[in-house]
Amino acid sequence: MVNQIKRENFSGKLGIIAAAAGSAIGLGNIWKFPYITGVYGGSAFILVYLFCIALIGIPVMLSEFIVGRNAQKNAVGSFKKIAPGTPWFFTGFIGVIAAYVILSFYGIVAGWTLQYVFLAITNQFSGLTPDQIGGNFGAFISKPGLPIFWQVIFMAVTASVVIGGVKKGIERFSKILMPILLVIIIILVFRSVTLKGASKGLEFLLKPDFSKLTVPAILSALGHAFFSLSLGMGTMITYGSYIKKDENLGQTAIQVTIADTLIALLAGFAIFPAVFAFGIEPSAGPGLVFVTLPNVFNQMPFGAFFALLFFVLLAVAALTSSISILECVVAYTDEELGWDRKKSTVVVALTITILGAILSQGNGILSSLKIPFLIGGKFEMMNIFDWFITLSDQMLPVGGLLIALFVGWGMKQQMVKDEVTSNGKFSFRLYPIFNVLVKVVAPAAIALVFLSSIFGWFK
Ligand code: TRP
C-alpha cells in the first residue's frame, strides 16, 4: 500500500501461459511426481491425482486468478482490498509463510540439479553401474557443504531474475525454455519405453491396483495437485494480478493445468520403464530421478549430451518455478511492508537460503535429528528436510480451501462472473459447476482428506 507503483503486466496470451506454466512445471513434475507415484504404488495413485487436478485444481487455480486480477495486488493485499476489515487476508498470510517454507527446500533440490549438470559436463556417469550411481547420489546429498554451494548459486540466480521484474525477467525465460523441455522429455520417453524390460514399468503406470490406495496416498495426491499447479499459497494470485483485463482467465487456467499434467505424465513414462528395466526400487524416494535417468543416458547414443541437456532444462524448469515462489513473497513485502523491490528480494532470498541450508543437513550431519509430525493418527519421526516437505504438503490444501471458500462465499458472485468473462467479453458457461465446486465440493473434499490423514481415520 505504501508505495503505489504502476503494476507491470504480462504482455499477452503467450506470455501469461509461459509464465504460469513456467511456475507450475518444475521439480514437482519431474522430481516429485515420479517419486511419490513410486512410493504410493503407481497407477491407482495417478488416477486419484488426475481426479484432484480436474475437480479441485482447476477451480482453485481459476479462483486465484480471479482474486489476483480483480484486486491487482499481492497475496495478502488482494484479500484486504476485496474484503476490507475482514480476517480473509489471513489466507494470504498462510500463503506467504508456505512460500517461505517451500522455497527453502526447493532451492536445495534445485541445487542438486546443478550438481548433476556439472556431473554431466564432466561425463561422470558413463561406465557406472546402477548401484554406483545410486550410491553417489546418496553420498552427495549427505555432504554438508556441496549441496549448499549449489543452492546458493541457484538462489542467487532466482533473486537476480526477480529483481529484474515480471516482464523482462520472468516471461522471457519461460517462453523459450518450456517448449525445449517438452521435446527433451519426449525423446527420453522414447528411449525409456524401448529399453529391454520396460513393459513392467508401463504396467506399473497403467494397470491400477486399488488395494495399494491408502489414506496417506490420497492426501499425497491432493497435496501434490496443489504443489504441482502452484496453488494454495498465492503464487497464482500474484501472477493473476499481472494478467491483463481482457485475457480469458478460465481458458488460461485450463491450458496451464493441461500443460502441467502432460509434463508430469511424460516424466512418469520417461522414468518408470527405466526403473524396472534397471531393477531400481520404484519406491526409492527423492533420489529416483537422479538415480534412474543417468542409467538411461548410459544406454543412449550421445548419452552424455542428453544428460547435460536434461539436467540443464530441469534446472531451468526449477528456476521458472522458484522465481514464482520468491515473487509471491516479494510482492508482499514490497507492496504491504513498503520495502523496495531490491531490498525485498535480497532480504527474503537470503533468509530463505539460510533456512534451506540448515534443512539440507537433515540429509546428512543432522540426519539423526528427528522431529515428530502428526500424520495418520500418530506422530511419525522425520528428519528436518522431510519434515518441512511434509509441512508444505499440508499447508497448501489449507490455503486452497480458504481461497475456494473466499471465491465461493466471500466474494460477490457478480464480481466473480465479471472477472471471468472480462465484463461480458467471454462466456462462462461452466459457472454453475464452478460455483458448486468452489462453494462445496472442493472445501469438503480438502477438509475431509486433510483431517482424515492427520487423525488417521478410515484405515
Ligand atoms: N509448481 C512448482 C513445481 O511443480 C513449484 C511451485 C511453484 C509451487 N510455485 C508454487 C508450489 C507455489 C506450491 C505453491 O515444481
Side-chain angles (χ1 to χ4, degrees):
M1 299 270 205
V2 184
N3 60 340
Q4 278 294 352
I5 42 155
K6 191 176 169 304
R7 292 182 79 78
E8 268 191 284
N9 277 323
F10 292 132
S11 54
K13 184 88 203 152
L14 195 61
I16 302 157
I17 303 271
S23 167
I25 297 168
L27 297 170
N29 305 61
I30 299 164
W31 164 69
K32 200 171 171 197
F33 175 75
Y35 102 65
I36 56 179
T37 299
V39 169
Y40 292 115
S43 71
F45 173 83
I46 297 180
L47 284 178
V48 176
Y49 174 72
L50 293 177
F51 209 69
C52 294
I53 289 280
L55 281 187
I56 303 175
I58 294 176
V60 172
M61 185 180 294
L62 181 55
S63 297
E64 292 205 21
F65 283 162
I66 291 170
V67 171
R69 192 174 67 177
N70 186 274
Q72 295 288 300
K73 291 211 164 290
N74 62 82
V76 175
S78 287
F79 290 96
K80 286 191 183 159
K81 174 144 178 224
I82 298 176
T86 66
W88 279 112
F89 72 92
F90 207 72
T91 308
F93 254 149
I94 299 181
V96 171
I97 294 169
Y100 235 88
V101 169
I102 288 179
L103 192 50
S104 64
F105 72 75
Y106 206 86
I108 288 290
V109 179
W112 298 351
T113 69
L114 294 182
Q115 163 77 1
Y116 274 63
V117 169
F118 170 77
L119 293 178
I121 292 177
T122 48
N123 197 15
Q124 292 191 49
F125 303 125
S126 67
L128 298 185
T129 63
D131 274 353
Q132 287 169 323
I133 290 177
N136 289 354
F137 173 76
F140 160 65
I141 66 165
S142 60
K143 285 204 172 98
L146 194 54
I148 298 179
F149 169 76
W150 291 115
Q151 177 218 16
V152 168
I153 292 181
F154 181 82
M155 290 299 295
V157 177
T158 302
S160 61
V161 177
V162 169
I163 288 179
V166 177
K167 209 187 279 177
K168 271 184 288 158
I170 298 171
E171 207 185 299
R172 214 168 38 189
F173 257 125
S174 310
K175 260 190 199 161
I176 312 168
L177 295 161
M178 288 290 128
I180 306 182
L181 180 70
L182 179 66
V183 174
I184 296 296
I185 293 188
I186 290 174
I187 295 173
L188 288 176
V189 170
F190 272 110
R191 176 62 276 207
S192 187
V193 299
T194 52
L195 286 167
K196 207 164 147 261
S199 59
K200 276 237 174 64
L202 292 174
E203 212 170 275
F204 184 79
L205 288 169
L206 296 172
K207 217 165 122 195
D209 176 358
F210 287 100
S211 67
K212 288 188 185 147
L213 209 55
T214 56
V215 174
I218 297 172
L219 175 83
S220 193
L222 181 71
H224 187 65
F226 279 94
F227 186 87
S228 190
L229 295 175
S230 302
L231 300 177
M233 60 171 237
T235 294
M236 292 300 182
I237 295 180
T238 311
Y239 273 21
S241 75
Y242 305 136
I243 298 179
K244 284 188 187 144
K245 284 286 182 190
D246 60 354
E247 297 287 350
N248 188 337
L249 291 186
Q251 205 182 49
T252 307
I254 290 174
Q255 287 166 342
V256 170
T257 303
I258 290 176
D260 185 70
T261 308
L262 186 72
I263 298 278
L265 293 176
L266 285 173
F269 280 92
I271 288 164
F272 285 104
V275 163
F276 285 89
F278 296 119
I280 296 166
E281 267 304 308
S283 59
L288 195 64
V289 186
F290 294 97
V291 176
T292 313
L293 289 181
N295 288 299
V296 178
F297 298 126
N298 275 346
Q299 302 283 319
M300 291 169 69
F302 312 107
F305 168 74
F306 280 110
L308 175 61
L309 207 54
F310 174 79
F311 285 113
V312 168
L313 286 166
L314 184 55
V316 171
L319 183 64
T320 53
S321 299
S322 64
I323 289 166
S324 74
I325 308 177
L326 185 57
E327 175 67 24
C328 175
V329 187
V330 165
Y332 164 74
T333 53
D334 179 346
E335 294 175 4
E336 301 299 308
L337 304 183
W339 305 355
D340 64 28
R341 192 169 189 88
K342 203 163 173 188
K343 175 178 162 194
S344 294
T345 310
V346 171
V347 172
V348 172
L350 199 66
T351 50
I352 287 176
T353 306
I354 293 170
L355 175 61
I358 297 169
L359 296 186
S360 76
Q361 304 306 316
N363 294 316
I365 49 178
L366 294 181
S367 63
S368 53
L369 174 65
K370 306 265 188 201
I371 343 180
F373 201 107
L374 179 58
I375 195 154
K378 57 180 192 293
F379 285 99
E380 277 203 37
M381 304 304 283
M382 300 180 186
N383 73 40
I384 50 177
F385 187 77
D386 294 338
W387 197 91
F388 271 82
I389 294 188
T390 311
L391 176 67
S392 70
D393 278 347
Q394 314 274 354
M395 284 179 92
L396 297 177
V398 173
L401 169 88
L402 293 172
I403 289 163
L405 287 176
F406 181 69
V407 171
W409 301 94
M411 277 178 81
K412 288 205 187 66
Q413 292 308 298
Q414 194 54 46
M415 196 182 203
V416 171
K417 285 189 216 162
D418 288 345
E419 199 55 54
V420 176
T421 62
S422 295
N423 293 317
K425 187 172 167 208
F426 306 109
S427 73
F428 188 16
R429 264 169 290 148
L430 294 178
Y431 171 77
I433 298 179
F434 171 77
N435 190 249
V436 176
L437 288 175
V438 291
K439 268 199 163 113
V440 184
V441 178
I446 296 170
L448 187 68
V449 173
F450 179 73
L451 293 173
S452 68
S453 84
I454 290 203
F455 297 112
W457 305 340
F458 318 114
K459 265 199 291 202

